[in-house]
Amino acid sequence: MQDFIRRKNIENLTKQLAGGRLDAGQCRYAEKRLAEELATEKADELTNARAHKPVPDPAPC
C-alpha cells in the first residue's frame, strides 16, 4: 500500500512541476517533496530488490 501511495505522490508532484502553474514557493516545496519520495523509493528498491518503471525528470520551474 505504501508503494502505491508513494508512486501516486511521485506522479502528482511530477505533473504539478511540469504544469508550470506553481509559484516559486510551491515549486520549491514540490521539488523537495518529490526528492524525498524518490529517495524513499530508491531506498526501498535497494532494500527489497524491487524495481519500478523509471520516473521522468520534472520540468524545472
Side-chain angles (χ1 to χ4, degrees), residues 21-49:
R21 302 184 92 191
L22 302 177
D23 65 30
Q26 292 170 324
C27 185
R28 282 191 304 274
Y29 178 78
E31 289 172 336
K32 179 182 172 191
R33 290 287 299 134
L34 180 58
E36 291 170 355
E37 293 288 354
L38 290 172
T40 302
E41 180 180 55
K42 186 70 162 177
D44 269 0
E45 286 177 3
L46 293 173
T47 302
N48 300 322

Side-chain angles (χ1 to χ4, degrees), residues 3-30:
D3 290 338
F4 175 78
I5 293 169
R6 184 177 308 112
R7 293 299 300 168
K8 284 299 185 182
N9 286 343
I10 291 169
E11 281 180 38
N12 290 334
L13 289 164
T14 301
K15 285 178 186 177
Q16 288 176 5
L17 288 167
R21 302 184 92 191
L22 302 177
D23 65 30
Q26 292 170 324
C27 185
R28 282 191 304 274
Y29 178 78

